């Protein structure tokens, strides 16, 4: 079956390349298939790469290669003195893409902005449940339905967000993928035709690339948007060659079949660096990998049990085996490069004997548990199966029997949100906006339980601290609150924090204008390739 899939993918890519023989084509060997093409519905980086970072724009954007905010579809904005009103002046003359499946008749207006957010925030709208299981994980997990009081159309090119309370990271949040702006006119046509699910299959936005076609699990094809408000891109065609095996991605890079690839195996990095046709970019990742216990299910509902299990795991051995030194053991839920990192925290000491005694003291004997291992490489965890095997061996030494389970990536992300999920899941996070809130509240806040909070952990003391930190613009005060929250996190241990990794990006020396991004973003606007 695997050989057949590989052959089909290769055939599909060859077909796409043949049709693009007379154009400037960039091939990106992506690591996984997108869950869909509506970025508001998902949290996966591979989905954002294929949708929000190609087809769409946002009111504000992150500058290439950083976390600084710059104008996007909004050319300017003002904030009220109380921090509760944000008024955006939209860029005039922004056109939506013309595709084989829809031809727009008007330019971007405030109506598109309101539609893009209302469908996520208002449960009574027809678009709130337009696909089965829609949970709007980001906006819900970040508390947007409670935060946003109203979104008002001042005029066609002016829109005002009214908040129920001040929110320090609000502008940065609006630069995130879930806040992409869609076409209300296109959505209205799909609704009238009874084809609403197509919004998640045939995307249409204002971004640098226009969606052309998708062959599931094989190839996504885009073309440069001729009417892009920021100017037509230098490459004519963009191809995502979906290649789930990191070793195969590396082979394709060396063979010249790909121009850019993400997440190489640690064992392949040195070989890629030696290739005279490649550059291997690298930088510390704004990330964390963790093992999330389901704190709603016994015995993982007891902090003393979670701490005992943490003491049994040799995290340095995982870093050595999986990353070959290109990572550091994690002790906090935010990376050390992020402001408010609490370096005074003491990590769980690797001590199997103490772990065994702690389990016995908690009344736990003959524990059997599942560890979920991600099926894909991510920057924060290159080989979850190997990490799970190492943890399985460590836990066996204290009498805990571990079964390793896995699922297809989209299914993994869906099932791991289940409040009744058995055991603990390996997951991770690359920051979306450079703010500690994006880790601490988004992944561990009470609003995110059943969504991004895969530990299903709601702690009143922790939640009060991170919510208070969002409501002051004073970074010094926010730092104090976040550092206190990290103390609570470590005491309660909803996760076993595993690592913070170094991210690598092999690219062809023919490619110019490509930036590694601390937010884990793969963007192709501004990229060029020598013919």
């Amino acid at each position: 079956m695997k050989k057949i899939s590989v052959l089909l993918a290769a055939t599909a890519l060859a077909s796409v390349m043949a049709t693009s023989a007379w154009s400037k084509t960039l091939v990106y060997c992506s690591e996984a298939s997108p869950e869909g093409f509506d970025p508001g519905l998902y949290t996966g980086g591979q989905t954002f790469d294929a949708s929000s970072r190609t087809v769409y724009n946002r009111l504000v954007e992150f500058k290439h290669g950083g976390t600084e905010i710059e104008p996007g579809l909004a050319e300017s904005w003002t904030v009220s003195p109380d921090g509760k009103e944000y008024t955006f002046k939209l860029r005039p003359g922004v056109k939506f893409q013309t595709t084989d499946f829809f031809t727009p008749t008007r330019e971007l207006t405030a109506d598109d902005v309101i539609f893009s957010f209302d469908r996520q925030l208002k449960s009574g709208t027809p678009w709130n449940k337009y696909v089965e299981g829609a949970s709007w994980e980001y906006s819900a997990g970040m508390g947007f339905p409670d935060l946003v009081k109203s979104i008002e159309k001042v005029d066609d090119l002016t829109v005002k967000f009214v908040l129920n309370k001040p929110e320090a990271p609000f502008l940065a949040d609006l630069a995130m993928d879930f806040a992409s702006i869609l076409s209300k006119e296109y959505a209205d046509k799909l609704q009238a035709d009874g084809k609403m699910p197509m919004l998640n299959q045939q995307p249409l936005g204002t971004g640098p690339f226009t969606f052309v076609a998708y062959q599931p699990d094989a190839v996504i094809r885009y073309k440069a948007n001729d009417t892009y408000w920021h100017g037509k891109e230098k490459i004519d065609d963009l191809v995502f060659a979906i290649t789930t095996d990191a070793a195969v991605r590396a082979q394709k890079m060396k063979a010249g079949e790909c121009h850019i690839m993400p997440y190489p195996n640690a064992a392949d990095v040195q070989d890629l660096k030696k290739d005279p046709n490649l550059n291997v970019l690298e930088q510390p990742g704004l990330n964390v990998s963790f093992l999330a216990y389901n704190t709603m299910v016994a015995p993982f509902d007891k902090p003393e049990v979670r701490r005992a299990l943490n003491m049994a795991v040799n995290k340095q051995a995982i870093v050595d085996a999986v990353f070959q030194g290109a990572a550091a053991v994690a002790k906090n839920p935010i990376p050390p490069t992020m402001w408010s990192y609490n370096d005074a925290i003491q990590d769980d000491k690797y001590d199997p004997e103490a772990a065994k005694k702690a389990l016995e003291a908690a009344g736990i004997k003959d524990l059997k548990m599942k560890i979920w291992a991600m099926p894909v490489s991510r920057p924060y965890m290159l080989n979850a199966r190997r990490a799970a095997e190492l943890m399985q061996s460590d836990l066996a030494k204290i009498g805990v029997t571990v079964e390793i389970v896995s699922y297809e990536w989209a299914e993994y992300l869906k099932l791991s949100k289940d409040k009744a999920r058995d055991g603990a899941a390996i997951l991770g996070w690359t920051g979306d906006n450079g703010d500690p809130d994006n880790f601490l509240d988004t992944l561990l806040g009470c609003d995110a339980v059943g969504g991004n909070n895969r530990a299903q952990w709601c702690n009143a003391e922790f939640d009060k601290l991170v919510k208070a930190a969002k409501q002051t613009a004073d970074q010094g005060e926010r730092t104090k609150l976040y550092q206190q929250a990290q103390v609570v996190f470590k005491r309660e241990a909803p996760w076993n924090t595993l690592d913070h990794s170094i991210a690598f990006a092999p690219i062809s020396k023919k490619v110019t204008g490509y930036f590694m991004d601390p937010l884990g973003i793969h963007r192709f606007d501004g990229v060029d390739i020598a013919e």
Side-chain angles (χ1 to χ4, degrees):
M1 182 67 71
K2 184 175 180 181
K3 290 183 178 179
I4 293 174
S5 299
V6 171
L7 178 60
L8 286 172
T11 302
L13 179 57
S15 175
V16 169
M17 295 297 286
T19 61
S20 304
W22 302 106
S23 62
K24 190 179 288 189
T25 300
L26 182 83
V27 180
Y28 171 63
C29 274
S30 61
E31 80 284 6
S33 299
E35 301 152 275
F37 289 91
D38 181 346
L41 292 168
Y42 306 107
T43 64
Q46 82 285 359
T47 297
F48 295 154
D49 290 341
S51 59
S52 47
R53 297 164 188 168
T54 50
V55 177
Y56 296 111
N57 293 121
R58 288 140 295 282
L59 291 173
V60 293
E61 304 279 4
F62 294 116
K63 283 189 176 180
H64 258 315
T67 58
E68 185 180 348
I69 300 296
E70 65 179 3
L73 295 178
E75 61 180 6
S76 64
W77 57 87
T78 57
V79 184
S80 64
D82 65 0
K84 293 184 180 180
E85 294 186 1
Y86 288 73
T87 303
F88 295 90
K89 293 295 293 184
L90 300 183
R91 193 178 297 277
V94 174
K95 300 181 183 296
F96 283 97
Q97 298 149 354
T98 296
T99 68
D100 291 342
F101 47 86
F102 185 74
T103 300
T105 65
R106 64 167 178 80
E107 296 172 346
L108 172 79
T109 72
D111 294 327
D112 302 301
V113 176
I114 293 171
F115 164 74
S116 298
F117 286 94
D118 274 357
R119 67 204 184 99
Q120 302 186 48
L121 306 180
K122 296 183 177 180
S123 59
T125 63
W127 284 97
N128 187 254
K129 299 294 182 185
Y130 85 97
V131 297
E132 184 179 355
S135 62
W136 308 104
E137 193 170 336
Y138 253 121
S139 58
M142 295 169 68
F144 262 52
D146 294 327
L147 172 66
V148 179
K149 181 178 181 180
S150 63
I151 308 175
E152 303 170 5
K153 178 179 179 179
V154 179
D155 57 47
D156 276 352
L157 292 177
T158 311
V159 62
K160 180 165 69 174
F161 287 70
V162 181
L163 310 184
N164 285 311
K165 56 187 178 183
E167 182 86 352
F170 186 66
L171 266 182
D173 292 344
L174 292 186
M176 291 167 56
D177 302 88
F178 82 95
S180 296
I181 305 304
L182 283 65
S183 165
K184 183 179 185 298
E185 183 187 23
Y186 176 44
D188 287 345
K189 180 65 165 59
L190 291 175
Q191 185 174 0
D193 292 346
K195 297 179 179 179
M196 291 170 70
M198 296 307 293
L199 190 70
N200 193 34
Q201 299 172 38
Q202 293 182 323
L204 181 147
T206 59
F209 296 97
T210 300
F211 174 84
V212 176
Y214 172 43
Q215 182 171 336
D217 302 323
V219 174
I220 315 172
R221 184 182 175 191
Y222 310 85
K223 64 180 181 180
N225 177 7
D226 290 335
T227 60
Y228 186 37
W229 58 269
H230 205 46
K232 185 177 180 294
E233 293 301 319
K234 296 174 182 177
I235 54 176
D236 301 297
D237 294 286
L238 173 64
V239 176
F240 278 37
I242 299 166
T243 312
T244 57
D245 189 311
V248 176
R249 291 199 299 276
Q251 292 169 10
K252 288 185 175 182
M253 285 296 299
K254 291 177 70 65
E257 296 175 25
C258 303
H259 299 113
I260 303 172
M261 70 164 280
Y263 321 133
N265 286 327
D268 293 331
V269 169
Q270 290 306 315
D271 187 44
L272 289 164
K273 285 183 175 180
K274 293 176 184 176
D275 192 307
N277 298 311
L278 303 178
N279 287 320
V280 179
L281 311 180
E282 64 180 85
Q283 67 178 14
L286 196 71
N287 61 38
V288 64
S289 178
F290 53 85
L291 182 72
Y293 301 106
N294 187 347
T295 63
M296 285 187 171
V297 175
F300 310 107
D301 56 339
K302 298 179 178 180
E304 60 268 30
V305 171
R306 302 192 295 262
R307 289 195 298 268
L309 296 173
N310 287 355
M311 285 192 293
V313 173
N314 186 344
K315 297 192 287 189
Q316 187 61 54
I318 293 174
V319 166
D320 292 342
V322 175
F323 296 92
Q324 298 190 11
V329 167
K331 64 180 182 180
N332 288 328
I334 63 174
T337 53
M338 177 167 276
W339 62 270
S340 82
Y341 180 82
N342 191 343
D343 198 32
I345 296 286
Q346 294 296 310
D347 200 10
D348 304 301
K349 185 179 179 181
Y350 172 53
D351 191 336
E353 283 303 314
K356 189 172 184 178
K357 290 176 182 177
L359 276 187
E360 291 171 354
I364 304 299
K365 295 181 180 180
D366 302 319
L367 175 61
K368 293 180 173 61
M369 63 179 288
K370 292 179 180 178
I371 289 183
W372 292 39
M374 300 183 304
V376 297
S377 297
R378 307 303 299 161
Y380 45 75
M381 179 50 67
L382 298 179
N383 190 333
R385 169 66 65 169
R386 180 63 178 137
E389 290 169 351
L390 291 167
M391 286 189 274
Q392 181 185 50
S393 177
D394 285 342
L395 291 168
K397 296 172 185 174
I398 65 165
V400 176
T401 302
V402 170
E403 176 189 357
I404 299 172
V405 299
S406 191
Y407 301 89
E408 183 272 329
W409 186 219
E411 191 73 0
Y412 187 98
L413 291 171
K414 176 182 176 182
L415 294 176
S416 61
K417 293 187 292 185
D418 190 342
K419 294 179 182 179
R421 185 199 77 231
D422 186 17
I426 298 175
L427 285 156
W429 195 256
T430 297
D432 289 298
N433 61 14
D435 195 289
D437 173 76
N438 184 243
F439 285 78
L440 298 175
D441 193 36
T442 299
L443 301 180
L444 292 159
C446 292
D447 289 334
V449 169
N452 279 330
N453 188 340
R454 296 312 207 276
Q456 318 300 351
W457 181 66
C458 179
N459 179 280
E461 182 183 3
F462 178 92
D463 209 58
K464 182 178 180 181
L465 289 166
V466 296
K467 292 295 192 293
K470 297 169 70 158
Q471 294 186 46
T472 175
D474 184 333
Q475 187 164 315
E477 181 61 24
R478 295 186 76 202
T479 293
K480 291 178 184 177
L481 292 166
Y482 286 137
Q483 289 184 340
Q484 292 173 42
Q486 289 166 72
V487 172
V488 177
F489 166 87
K490 202 64 182 179
R491 184 189 73 217
E492 298 297 314
W495 298 348
N496 188 353
T497 49
L498 299 177
D499 69 80
H500 307 294
S501 72
I502 295 173
F504 296 96
I507 69 170
S508 167
K509 287 185 175 178
K510 295 180 179 180
V511 173
T512 57
Y514 179 81
F515 295 88
M516 283 199 79
D517 198 289
L519 304 178
I521 292 171
H522 299 102
R523 285 173 57 175
F524 305 98
D525 52 313
V527 176
D528 198 3
I529 183 169
E531 297 185 38

